Amino acid sequence: MSAFDPSFAPPSPPASSPVLAGAPSEFDLAEGFAAHLLHWARTLGAPAAALAVLAPLARALALAAAEGHVCLPLELLAADGAIGTIGTIGGSPSTLRATLLGSGVTVEAKPLLPAGSAHPLVLDGDGRLYLRRFFDLEQRLARALVRRARMPSAVVPDALHATLDTLFPPRADGAPDWQKLAVALALHSRLTVISGGPGTGKTTTVAALLACLLELAPELRIALAAPTGKAAARMLEALRARAAHLPAKVRKRLPAEAHTLHRLLGVTPQAGRFRHHAGKLLAVDLLVVDEASMLDLALATRVLDALPPEARLVLLGDKDQLAAVEAGAVFAELSAGRSFSAAMIARLAALTGTPVPALNADLPPPAQRAPLADSVIWLTESHRFRRDSGIGRLAADINAGAGAAALDWLRAGADASVRWIEDEGARPAAATLAAMEAGYADYFAVLQAPVTDPQERVAAAFAAFDRFRVLVAVHEGPRGLAALNLHLERRLRAVLGLAAERGGGNAWFGRPLIVLRNDALLGLYNGDIGLCLPAPGGELMVFFPQPGGGYRSIAPLRLPAHDTAFALTVHKSQGSEFDEVLLVLPATPVRVLTRELLYTGVTRAAQRVTLAGPARVFGAGCTLRTQRLSGLAARLAEPLPPAPS
């Protein structure tokens, strides 16, 4: 989000923040960067006015980046009392701009920055101040997207009209079928951004698109990917289910696996470096990225860098979900608005049989010059939840910021698929703890059952465990991740007759765990979920689902960094779906509990969702929007530089 919100302030370190042992904190890193920038400016002979503002400004930029922001506007940095001494330097964005550009460490953004420029700060024409790395990434990503969006439309044979009618029979009501239209758009375009909420048919749309493209080019090289292993596995599973009705010759050509984006790009031991890049492109003709709302600025740029210019790129996601943990909100910015040229509307109408007046009635006015015109489409009709169904209605109310109305309706208990537990205490109430334990009752029962076949028990354990999940907004405190995981661990150990405390070992019977760091050698990636169960020989191993079905086991001592996974943060749950979800809210309002977090948590549930917490916390979360400061929209609107000769 690039618009300035005057209520926003970058995080400030506490008055006394002790240096912790081990990894440096974000405040330590910000202090280090501030000291480095100040030394650099002094070396270059920066005037006193610049030296007075550089340290607090550098801290603000570094801490804002840690919170997901790509840049900071001078309007904010020059505001009285915003941070440090910046509000007292004479007080206008224009003064601050002149001071920064005279510091020797800031360069003004231009279509082409000076050759050999090593300035650590970049200031654009609209008053956004960047760390140089973020500006370079944002500019590179924007140019790659615009070039791909502006490529000449692909020629679509008339024969695909019949194929599309078979896949999506004409609607009796004459209303536009947006799944069908999304396929038609992707057939015409090299870049397609498809946004839709849960159950709106994104995977069905992709299955139909693949069927059409494979009809045209049977040897098409297709890659499926997602930011996490869980999201990739779900995508492949859902695609296979949606493709069951397709002709056998098409099903045989569908991809046999889906990758994490890190695995697709090729993780190397060097942080941030991949085997595939602009100098060594991926061997693909079509890349489909699911759960693209989780794409941060750096990863999105790396993907575009490595994609051949002629390849198609389809980004699937939900613009209303949480943004990536790292800096940037790429998908939300790309899918914020739809813009179709008159020529594209005519093509879509001809290919799908949709009357032009019906299309125009549901679309914004044509805009030939929008940066990503003819590339973005929304799926708005949920086939999983009716808008007035329990989960669908709750999600819609949260998105609309209607917290009070949603709470009144929840308290009335009118729909069995949603439940509210009034839980005002600092610690979870008995009803909340009981709901947690009841949710895992089936999993506990599988672990207690007599064993006839260890492999069958692994499958049964995963089936039971994946039906339910506890989700949280915060890590610390009695209602946070660590405390709830510990409670459920102790409950399971009591049920199984194990010692109440496990000691120092990381392996114990029944422990669910989540991988926290990529390990390419083991083929494990951040977000993968495993279960600690006895192997046929009796030794405890950690089992992980295989992309093609079945499970593989890894010795606990070989695992990368991991944690117990009875409870997950909502961020870590993205890309997952469970039959039932219990979302435990914190005791007091916190900045991370936003409308987007509530919406994401609620829509992880396919059948039933329970919210437990104080009413005022739920209401506050519904009113608080996630804000990511960036200039991607501005970069997309910039003219492209001449192609290199």
Side-chain angles (χ1 to χ4, degrees):
M1 190 177 296
S2 55
F4 169 59
D5 177 357
S7 69
F8 169 83
S12 299
S16 59
S17 56
V19 177
L20 302 178
S25 72
E26 60 192 43
F27 297 113
D28 298 328
L29 294 172
E31 287 294 336
F33 174 62
H36 178 71
L37 189 67
L38 205 56
H39 175 73
W40 193 337
R42 283 198 184 102
T43 302
L44 295 174
L51 295 176
V53 302
L54 282 176
L57 184 150
R59 291 188 202 102
L61 276 176
L63 292 170
E67 292 214 338
H69 304 291
V70 176
C71 58
L72 287 176
L74 295 186
E75 183 182 351
L76 170 64
L77 293 168
D80 284 341
I83 51 170
T85 61
I86 286 185
T88 65
I89 64 168
S92 70
S94 59
T95 301
L96 183 54
R97 182 183 191 89
T99 302
L100 285 166
L101 291 177
S103 68
V105 294
T106 307
V107 66
E108 195 165 16
K110 296 178 181 178
L112 290 175
L113 292 178
S117 165
H119 298 78
L121 304 181
V122 177
L123 186 58
D124 79 359
D126 295 319
R128 300 180 191 88
L129 185 65
Y130 291 82
L131 298 173
R132 175 61 177 267
R133 171 177 175 266
F134 284 154
F135 180 82
D136 288 347
L137 287 169
E138 190 174 84
Q139 187 178 70
R140 208 160 87 219
L141 175 63
R143 289 174 177 177
L145 288 165
V146 170
R147 286 192 183 100
R148 198 169 294 274
R150 291 182 183 174
M151 291 183 74
S153 294
V155 177
V156 182
D158 292 339
L160 282 186
H161 189 300
T163 303
L164 275 175
D165 279 348
T166 300
L167 294 166
F168 301 101
R171 297 176 60 147
D173 59 5
D177 184 333
W178 287 105
Q179 289 177 275
K180 189 176 188 178
L181 288 159
V183 174
L185 183 67
L187 288 170
H188 281 292
S189 309
R190 298 291 177 184
L191 170 67
T192 311
V193 180
I194 302 175
S195 176
T200 52
K202 296 188 291 292
T203 308
T204 300
T205 301
V206 169
L209 172 63
L210 297 186
C212 291
L213 290 174
L214 287 169
E215 181 178 322
L216 294 175
E219 302 307 315
L220 192 75
R221 298 171 300 174
I222 302 167
L224 306 177
T228 68
K230 185 70 174 178
R234 273 198 63 225
M235 179 189 193
L236 185 63
E237 179 184 350
L239 181 61
R240 285 174 174 165
R242 303 298 188 278
H245 68 285
L246 297 177
K249 65 179 182 179
V250 172
R251 293 200 306 271
K252 288 179 181 177
R253 297 190 187 109
L254 293 176
E257 60 180 333
H259 306 274
T260 65
L261 285 167
H262 285 82
R263 183 182 168 203
L264 179 74
L265 294 174
V267 177
T268 68
Q270 191 174 1
R273 301 287 182 178
F274 297 98
R275 287 194 297 275
H276 292 285
H277 44 74
K280 186 182 180 183
L281 300 175
L282 292 163
V284 299
D285 302 309
L286 167 65
L287 173 60
V288 180
V289 179
D290 198 10
E291 297 294 344
S293 62
M294 300 167 70
L295 279 174
D296 61 80
L297 176 62
L299 185 55
T301 306
R302 302 288 191 262
V303 170
L304 268 294
D305 283 348
L307 197 61
E310 69 281 1
R312 298 175 193 266
L313 174 63
V314 177
L315 300 176
L316 304 171
D318 183 345
K319 61 183 177 62
D320 297 317
Q321 275 195 35
L322 282 168
V325 175
E326 304 296 332
V330 173
F331 188 81
E333 291 190 87
L334 297 185
S335 56
R338 301 167 296 167
S339 178
F340 291 86
S341 65
M344 181 57 78
I345 289 175
R347 293 190 195 104
L348 296 178
L351 186 56
T352 64
T354 308
V356 170
L359 258 177
N360 280 325
D362 270 13
L363 287 174
Q368 292 274 12
R369 297 180 183 176
L372 296 185
D374 302 337
S375 295
V376 180
I377 197 162
W378 297 348
L379 304 180
T380 55
E381 183 180 355
S382 178
H383 305 280
R384 184 189 308 165
F385 312 127
R386 297 189 324 277
R387 196 169 171 80
D388 61 348
S389 70
I391 297 174
R393 173 173 173 173
L394 179 58
D397 282 352
I398 290 170
N399 252 346
L407 194 60
D408 289 344
W409 176 69
L410 283 169
R411 283 170 165 160
D415 194 303
S417 66
V418 293
R419 179 186 173 204
W420 171 254
I421 297 177
E422 201 85 43
D423 187 352
E424 299 279 348
R427 297 180 177 278
T432 301
L433 297 178
M436 288 167 48
E437 294 167 14
Y440 284 117
D442 288 348
Y443 178 61
F444 292 0
V446 169
L447 298 180
Q448 289 178 286
V451 181
T452 55
D453 184 332
Q455 292 181 332
E456 287 184 3
R457 177 164 67 176
V458 171
F462 269 100
F465 182 73
D466 284 340
R467 281 197 286 269
F468 173 78
R469 198 70 86 245
V470 176
L471 301 182
V472 299
V474 296
H475 285 81
E476 305 303 326
R479 306 172 71 90
L481 183 74
L484 299 190
N485 268 321
L486 182 59
H487 173 85
L488 286 164
E489 174 186 336
R490 287 175 172 167
R491 177 60 184 159
L492 175 58
R493 296 178 74 84
V495 167
L496 298 178
L498 303 175
E501 302 297 334
R502 56 180 156 108
N506 69 337
W508 44 274
F509 177 46
R511 183 189 187 191
L513 56 83
I514 182 169
V515 174
L516 302 177
R517 191 180 67 236
N518 296 334
D519 189 323
L521 292 177
L522 287 177
L524 294 177
Y525 298 92
N526 188 359
D528 287 353
I529 299 286
L531 296 179
C532 193
L533 300 167
E539 70 279 16
L540 281 176
M541 301 289 283
V542 182
F543 289 82
F544 292 90
Q546 293 271 57
Y551 304 88
R552 65 189 179 109
S553 60
I554 296 176
L557 290 176
R558 298 185 63 203
L559 294 177
H562 56 276
D563 199 1
T564 303
F566 284 115
L568 298 177
T569 62
V570 174
H571 272 101
K572 287 291 187 184
S573 75
Q574 282 185 272
S576 298
E577 178 184 293
F578 312 100
D579 289 349
E580 184 175 352
V581 160
L582 168 63
L583 178 55
V584 180
L585 306 181
T588 57
V590 290
R591 278 195 306 172
V592 297
L593 186 66
T594 61
R595 186 182 303 179
E596 291 80 5
L597 185 139
L598 287 168
Y599 170 85
T600 303
V602 163
T603 56
R604 296 312 88 206
Q607 297 178 14
R608 180 179 169 86
V609 63
T610 300
L611 291 92
R616 66 190 180 94
V617 172
F618 176 77
C622 288
T623 63
L624 186 62
R625 297 299 304 263
T626 298
Q627 185 179 23
R628 289 289 178 90
L629 299 171
S630 101
L632 182 57
R635 302 287 84 77
L636 289 168
E638 291 174 347
L640 290 174
S645 56

